Amino acid sequence: QVHVVESGGGLVQAGGSLRLSCVVSGSTFSMLGVYWHRQAPGKQREMVAGITNDDLADYYLDSVKGRFTISRDNAKNTAFLQMNNLKPEDTALYYCNAVKWDVNSWGQGTRVTVSS
């Protein structure tokens, strides 16, 4: 069973930074695509960033381009989301999703709150 655990959320002022981590166990991490999603109160979940199994950062939500960076460390079975210049509209529960043909696993989320 694939297990996904996010961490790194917190409360930060606008303009600040946070680094989210996503640790995956139970599958060969280097074969997984990893995607960060978020869901703000009263809104639908949206994909924020994605990175393929061969380390291509292949997707960013338009509103986070230039501020967020997704990366991975296969030796640590971990993906990261570096979030800079945070804005109040980035406030949400952030989820990590690990994917390959026979895997689609989600973590419980880590909460990010950006104060103005």
Side-chain angles (χ1 to χ4, degrees):
Q1 183 176 356
V2 179
H3 195 216
V4 178
V5 179
E6 306 96 334
S7 63
L11 172 63
V12 64
Q13 288 188 329
S17 298
L18 285 173
R19 189 192 197 202
L20 306 185
S21 297
C22 170
V23 179
V24 181
S25 59
S27 184
T28 304
F29 184 73
S30 60
M31 298 182 67
L32 296 167
V34 179
Y35 300 88
W36 286 96
H37 301 248
R38 68 185 181 188
Q39 186 164 20
K43 295 188 177 180
Q44 289 190 331
R45 189 175 297 190
E46 60 184 356
M47 187 185 298
V48 175
I51 189 165
T52 63
N53 62 306
D54 52 1
D55 207 10
L56 295 176
D58 65 349
Y59 176 80
Y60 287 103
L61 185 67
D62 282 347
S63 61
V64 309
K65 286 180 180 177
R67 300 188 297 122
F68 290 11
T69 303
I70 189 170
S71 62
R72 63 191 297 155
D73 184 340
N74 288 343
K76 296 182 179 179
N77 291 355
T78 303
F80 304 97
L81 186 67
Q82 177 68 43
M83 306 187 296
N84 298 328
N85 190 22
L86 282 160
K87 303 176 180 182
E89 51 264 42
D90 295 317
T91 294
L93 189 59
Y94 283 72
Y95 297 91
C96 180
N97 175 218
V99 179
K100 68 179 177 76
W101 71 274
D102 59 344
V103 172
N104 185 11
S105 294
W106 293 79
Q108 294 299 306
T110 185
R111 188 166 300 280
V112 173
T113 303
V114 185
S115 62
S116 56

